[in-house]
Amino acid sequence: MIDCHNHLFSEKGYLESLINTMDRLNIEKTCLSGLGPLFYCETNQSVKEAVKKYQDRIVGAYWIRPG
């Protein structure tokens, strides 16, 4: 099972909590993006680091802000 839409929020321990929830719900992978501080989320760089840390669980999805 793959969760196709998730955001990396700027909360302490959020990433580990996400992985624990995925384990509990038998979700193998998730697609993760940031959105940046305007939306209380992390940046693309943080998503890249999360992918590196959990490369078998997270598919990175970068965001851009047009304009």
Side-chain angles (χ1 to χ4, degrees):
M1 185 181 317
I2 297 174
D3 181 349
C4 68
H5 187 117
N6 243 310
H7 294 283
L8 182 53
F9 288 99
S10 296
E11 298 175 12
K12 185 176 181 181
Y14 180 82
L15 182 59
E16 288 71 23
S17 177
L18 176 63
I19 296 295
N20 288 335
T21 300
M22 289 169 60
D23 289 343
R24 192 176 84 247
L25 298 174
N26 296 317
I27 296 171
E28 296 172 43
K29 292 180 182 264
T30 188
C31 298
L32 189 66
S33 67
L35 293 182
L38 182 63
F39 296 98
Y40 308 103
C41 289
E42 293 294 331
T43 63
N44 288 334
Q45 182 60 37
S46 296
V47 171
K48 184 177 179 180
E49 292 167 10
V51 169
K52 185 182 269 189
K53 184 173 183 177
Y54 294 104
Q55 59 188 340
D56 60 331
R57 306 296 304 276
I58 295 175
V59 176
Y62 280 55
W63 61 272
I64 58 168
R65 192 170 327 282

